[in-house]
Amino acid sequence: MTAPQHPYTHPALTAADPELAALVGAEERLQAETLRLIPSENYVSAAVLEASGTVLQNKYSEGYPGRRYYEGQQNIDQVETLAVERAKAVFGVEHANVQPYSGSPANLAVHLAFAEPGDTVMGMALPMGGHLTHGWGVSATGKWFRGVQYGVRHDTGLIDFDEVRELALKERPKVIFCGGTALPRTIDFAAFGEIAREAGAVLVADIAHIAGLVAGGAHPSPVPHVDVISTTTHKTLRGPRGAMLMSREEHAKALDKAVFPGLQGGPHNQTTAAIAVALREASQPSFRDYAHAVVANAKALAEALLARGFDLVSGGTDNHLILMDLTPKQVPGKIAAKALDRAGLVVNYNTVPYDTRKPFDPSGIRIGTPSLTSRGLAPGHMTLVADWIDRGVAAAGKGDEQALAAVRAEVGDLLGAFPAPGLPV
Ligand SMILES: *Cc1c(COP(=O)(O)O)cnc(C)c1O
């Protein structure tokens, strides 16, 4: 099937490169017509989209506002300053660097700022819900530094702070990361803060997933408890693909030097602009409502899934994310994810803690509510969503393509009434 030409946007692109324009159009339709449940994804606003597609793209500006290596920065300096000031206001921090290209380089910059190659860094193990860049072996952070890793308890699915403390005091890491990619529960920044102080480590809260919840007051802020905050800007924060590092003034210089010239060249000014727009949106009362609605939807969805006999890691959720262990359903995560995709429900397969299967063919799927909440779905819709997931997983087990097509049609019907931000209707 060839993708239909997009009706109204991208006239120049369509004229210059119809092949590429058709792909963009197809992606717009896909994002409009599917229920996007990947917890790290979202829909940015039309304003964020526009800002990220501007001529700011054309400008080189190595350095920081007022201290550049290139001339012609009269506008760019103001753009970056706006983004920085808005970040400081939204998160209540003394310092913000908005230049990291994405979350992974931001975390590498943290390593560069506070550790030497070979030094010990500590983070949550990837298969337990941590991130690659917290010292996991295949990542540069685990190859160039000595990563030691904590996990969650087998019985509760929760972090065991006695274990974290014991490991930190034994290994004396330079840097401790908290936060991750598959953590359905509130992160106890205060508990990590106590341990880091006792161990003499720099504590980094990686709030990539929950930044929007923190900004909107739907997750406690790490600010009083941690030294550095690392975050992406494109997950619950609903900005462009990018990242920020934030801290008290004390660590400002080390972080700035690590980002530039330590790791990067010129900042992506069009992204900086879009981050500024997203932060302005995140400072509005409506964003508080959004953040709380994300959590309310996730809790409602978790309840409805539990009622259908699904096994959820840690028994539920406090945030935007649900990690489902499909072992009792006897359907592997990958097979379920691929079937759900055919049913118009986009999820990702994921390891669960103590997974007995392989990372590329794990036992779980990971879902979340940031995108569907951006479309305006409410807790009342979540029984329907749980039902679709239930039917999709059952159909996956039986290879019942007809059942998947039926779910897909229902998904399309509902989403027709909930247009996605930033997409043509
Ligand atoms: C997404 C994520 C990152 C990495 O961000 P990229 O932009 O994909 O490089 C880092 N840490 C955590 C906890 C994340 O969830």
Side-chain angles (χ1 to χ4, degrees):
M1 196 180 83
T2 51
Q5 199 87 339
H6 202 276
Y8 86 87
T9 50
H10 325 308
L13 182 62
T14 304
D17 190 342
E19 192 182 4
L20 194 279
L23 290 171
V24 174
E27 179 62 21
E28 286 170 342
R29 286 175 61 101
L30 188 65
Q31 292 190 18
E33 292 171 0
T34 54
L35 190 69
R36 301 170 62 234
L37 290 163
I38 295 175
S40 49
E41 292 184 350
N42 213 328
Y43 294 97
V44 298
S45 68
V48 167
L49 265 187
E50 278 183 20
S52 63
T54 55
V55 298
L56 300 177
Q57 157 86 9
N58 297 340
K59 188 68 196 138
Y60 241 107
S61 42
E62 282 180 352
Y64 292 99
R67 302 175 273 139
R68 304 284 192 187
Y69 292 81
Y70 293 74
E71 295 312 314
Q73 307 294 347
Q74 31 295 59
N75 305 309
I76 299 297
D77 272 5
Q78 292 184 67
V79 168
E80 186 168 334
T81 302
L82 257 187
V84 166
E85 291 305 318
R86 287 174 181 173
K88 285 158 66 174
V90 165
F91 289 96
V93 291
E94 292 175 5
H95 175 71
N97 185 313
V98 298
Q99 292 193 7
Y101 297 143
S102 215
S104 301
N107 284 345
L108 191 54
V110 168
H111 285 75
L112 190 59
F114 300 109
E116 296 293 325
D119 278 350
T120 300
V121 299
M122 183 168 146
M124 183 180 249
L126 180 68
M128 294 279 180
H131 193 261
L132 281 167
T133 55
H134 299 179
W136 189 248
V138 298
S139 151
T141 61
K143 286 182 185 292
W144 299 340
F145 301 88
R146 186 176 152 268
V148 296
Q149 313 261 273
Y150 58 88
V152 294
R153 286 177 60 112
H154 204 161
D155 52 348
T156 59
L158 302 175
I159 292 169
D160 181 340
F161 283 99
D162 291 334
E163 186 212 329
V164 175
R165 181 171 176 274
E166 211 171 286
L167 190 65
L169 294 181
K170 175 167 157 256
E171 302 287 356
R172 297 280 165 178
K174 285 275 172 62
V175 183
I176 297 176
F177 281 88
C178 60
T181 62
L183 306 181
R185 294 295 181 180
T186 302
I187 302 167
D188 189 343
F189 297 119
F192 275 106
E194 253 175 59
I195 291 168
R197 272 192 302 281
E198 204 178 336
V202 171
L203 178 61
V204 183
D206 183 347
I207 61 167
H209 259 263
I210 56 168
L213 306 186
V214 172
H219 187 290
S221 168
V223 169
H225 308 292
V226 309
D227 299 294
V228 175
I229 299 170
S230 173
T231 187
T232 59
T233 47
H234 48 268
K235 299 179 184 175
T236 51
L237 192 57
R238 224 163 48 175
R241 305 200 79 83
M244 306 192 289
L245 289 170
M246 299 178 279
S247 68
R248 285 189 303 279
E249 203 49 52
E250 175 191 352
H251 298 304
K253 219 169 169 175
L255 289 172
D256 284 356
K257 271 175 59 184
V259 172
F260 173 85
L263 204 57
Q264 300 188 171
H268 295 179
N269 296 308
Q270 75 284 5
T271 300
T272 305
I275 289 174
V277 174
L279 287 167
R280 187 173 199 275
E281 292 173 356
S283 69
Q284 308 296 315
S286 59
F287 195 86
R288 287 190 83 78
D289 297 343
Y290 168 68
H292 285 91
V294 166
V295 176
N297 278 336
K299 284 180 182 292
L301 182 53
E303 282 303 314
L305 289 168
L306 289 169
R308 283 157 184 77
F310 282 101
D311 183 8
L312 310 184
V313 172
S314 83
T317 183
D318 299 327
N319 54 30
H320 65 300
L321 183 149
I322 296 166
L323 187 56
M324 302 171 64
D325 184 350
L326 297 180
T327 308
K329 299 280 183 184
Q330 295 182 314
V331 181
K334 195 181 206 166
I335 287 174
K338 289 194 179 297
L340 289 170
D341 190 54
R342 297 199 290 284
L345 306 164
V346 189
V347 308
N348 67 275
Y349 56 88
N350 214 96
T351 54
V352 297
Y354 304 95
D355 209 322
T356 50
R357 302 177 65 90
K358 299 232 154 57
F360 201 62
D361 184 18
S363 299
I365 56 175
R366 190 184 67 148
I367 61 175
T369 52
S371 297
L372 64 80
T373 307
S374 288
R375 296 185 78 143
L377 268 65
H381 297 111
M382 294 307 117
T383 43
L384 200 52
V385 174
D387 226 42
W388 289 334
I389 293 171
D390 192 17
R391 285 159 58 194
V393 170
K398 292 183 290 199
D400 184 350
E401 291 302 319
Q402 232 172 348
L404 296 176
V407 171
R408 188 174 185 111
E410 288 176 37
V411 170
D413 279 350
L414 179 76
L415 292 183
F418 293 90
L423 292 185
V425 201

